[in-house]
Amino acid sequence: VDPDLIKKICAFDDRTIARAASLIEDRSTGYLDLLQSLYPLTGKAKIIGITGAPGSGKSTLINSLVLELTKKSQSVAVIAVDPSSPITDGAVLGDRIRMKAASEKQKVFVRSISSRGQRGGISLALADLIDLFDAAGFNYVIVETVGVGQVEVDIRNLVDLLLLVMTPGMGDEVQALKAGILEVADVFVINKSDLAGADILNAILRSTLPASKEWVDQDNIIKTVATSAEGVYDLLTQIEGYFLRASTIRIEQRIKTLADKRILDEALLIISDLLVSSKLSAERLTLLDQCASKQLHPGLAAKSILKSLGIK
Ligand SMILES: Nc1nc2c(ncn2[C@@H]2O[C@H](COP(=O)(O)OP(=O)(O)O)[C@@H](O)[C@H]2O)c(=O)[nH]1
Ligand SMILES: [Mg+2]
């Protein structure tokens, strides 16, 4: 890898970072060499996940948070994961416009990615992108994801700190959330606190949160009005406090767990690529005939294919 490229990335050169991000997202030729060059530089950024239902105000909140961070001369990279839209979609564009106030400040980089069409799934692409921004030297990397299904659970090991954004009127849904995201989120943001019902949600949350949560204290439920930045200063204070208290051991453990998961996911991806490769197609066709005519069980056919790959 051209050392000049790494230099430019670490100098926050916008266009170089954007190009590197595309290369990494698309897994184009040379992407892995680039990531290998960057990987030893990672491990310094504070990585925050912000999840919550669509429309709960995540992007608006991130916008205010980024402004607050830039006031403290902190550099921030934001990755907005949109579940369905391609990059040109209105929803993502909306995000971008709302982010603009922050983006105009120095050392803020915003990237939107679609959760569809990523080879190997969104988690691998996200992990690699986070590495890019971490290596570049951004103080904070903020990942916005919509909490649907497993996504919020997958985000857990990608980030050091996970924020769940909720809105008044969600009280009834809190019980349903209990088993999933409530267990893994570190900070609970009641956004749109200007609307009726914020106090009720606050009370429900306080009585529902698992007592076993490692980071629970009085302040891990925070009320905000993202549109006017109310409460955002307190939120940042809480975030900073979290990183001050967070033990290196805990973060190292997370990175190890993540690395293990990434190795497995990458290996599965390589195997599935091999399985559909032309090299094996003749053998698969033979096995397919045997399976279709009920001579051979598909499970045994699978074993036979793996044997050809040298995997017993
Ligand atoms: N009343 C009120 N509206 C808000 C607040 N925060 C965000 N909104 C509005 O909620 C809508 C959705 O916000 P957005 O940030 O796009 O939500 P996201 O889908 O979670 O990223 C926008 O129209 C925002 O202006 C808030 O604190 N109070
Ligand atoms: Mg958004």
Side-chain angles (χ1 to χ4, degrees), residues 8-82:
K8 277 184 171 168
I9 289 172
C10 295
F12 295 127
D13 181 78
D14 267 22
R15 285 180 57 197
T16 310
I17 291 179
R19 261 193 290 123
S22 297
L23 184 87
I24 287 168
E25 260 179 70
D26 301 341
R27 300 204 147 197
S28 306
T29 314
Y31 91 97
L32 211 44
D33 290 335
L34 174 63
L35 283 172
Q36 174 57 44
S37 303
L38 294 171
Y39 200 63
L41 305 175
T42 65
K44 292 188 286 282
K46 298 178 174 75
I47 304 162
I48 300 172
I50 298 193
T51 193
S56 54
K58 298 179 296 299
S59 298
T60 316
L61 190 69
I62 289 170
N63 206 31
S64 302
L65 200 56
V66 168
L67 282 170
E68 213 48 65
L69 282 165
T70 52
K71 275 187 213 161
K72 298 189 167 193
S73 304
Q74 298 292 297
S75 51
V76 193
V78 179
I79 309 171
V81 182
D82 191 274

Side-chain angles (χ1 to χ4, degrees), residues 168-186:
M170 281 187 72
D172 293 344
E173 291 161 50
V174 170
Q175 285 296 334
L177 285 171
K178 199 176 175 184
I181 186 71
L182 285 191
E183 304 282 346
V184 296
D186 303 293

Side-chain angles (χ1 to χ4, degrees), residues 38-249:
L38 294 171
Y39 200 63
L41 305 175
T42 65
K44 292 188 286 282
K46 298 178 174 75
I47 304 162
I48 300 172
I50 298 193
T51 193
S56 54
K58 298 179 296 299
S59 298
T60 316
L61 190 69
I62 289 170
N63 206 31
S64 302
L65 200 56
V66 168
L67 282 170
E68 213 48 65
L69 282 165
T70 52
K71 275 187 213 161
K72 298 189 167 193
S73 304
Q74 298 292 297
S75 51
V76 193
V78 179
I79 309 171
V81 182
D82 191 274
S84 52
S85 325
I87 206 101
T88 50
D89 192 281
V92 178
L93 223 65
D95 276 355
R96 289 195 151 179
I97 291 162
R98 232 165 285 130
M99 295 277 190
K100 208 172 166 224
S103 310
E104 277 163 0
K105 298 269 178 186
Q106 234 191 337
K107 294 180 184 177
V108 175
F109 190 92
V110 180
R111 181 88 186 177
S112 293
I113 61 169
S114 164
S115 62
R116 270 208 226 132
Q118 301 288 338
R119 263 175 45 76
I122 190 70
S123 286
L124 286 177
L126 257 183
D128 287 339
L129 271 186
I130 292 170
D131 280 350
L132 167 66
F133 297 130
D134 187 351
F138 286 96
N139 299 118
Y140 285 84
V141 179
I142 301 179
V143 184
E144 175 186 344
T145 63
V146 178
V148 259
Q150 279 299 104
V151 177
E152 68 263 23
V153 181
D154 282 342
I155 192 89
R156 178 60 278 187
N157 280 317
L158 287 170
V159 301
D160 299 313
L161 177 67
L162 185 59
L163 270 63
L164 174 63
V165 179
M166 309 179 85
T167 49
M170 281 187 72
D172 293 344
E173 291 161 50
V174 170
Q175 285 296 334
L177 285 171
K178 199 176 175 184
I181 186 71
L182 285 191
E183 304 282 346
V184 296
D186 303 293
V187 174
F188 302 85
V189 178
I190 302 177
N191 190 41
K192 307 199 182 182
S193 286
D194 52 322
L195 304 181
D199 289 330
I200 298 169
L201 177 59
N202 191 17
I204 292 173
L205 263 179
R206 286 202 190 281
S207 62
T208 312
L209 286 185
S212 61
K213 280 189 71 65
E214 213 179 315
W215 297 94
V216 161
D217 57 42
Q218 278 298 96
D219 297 331
N220 75 338
I221 301 172
I222 298 192
K223 287 196 233 167
T224 58
V225 182
T227 37
S228 66
E230 206 182 311
V232 174
Y233 184 86
D234 290 343
L235 177 62
L236 182 55
T237 305
Q238 176 67 11
I239 289 170
E240 287 170 334
Y242 179 92
F243 280 104
L244 277 178
R245 292 193 311 267
S247 71
T248 333
I249 295 168

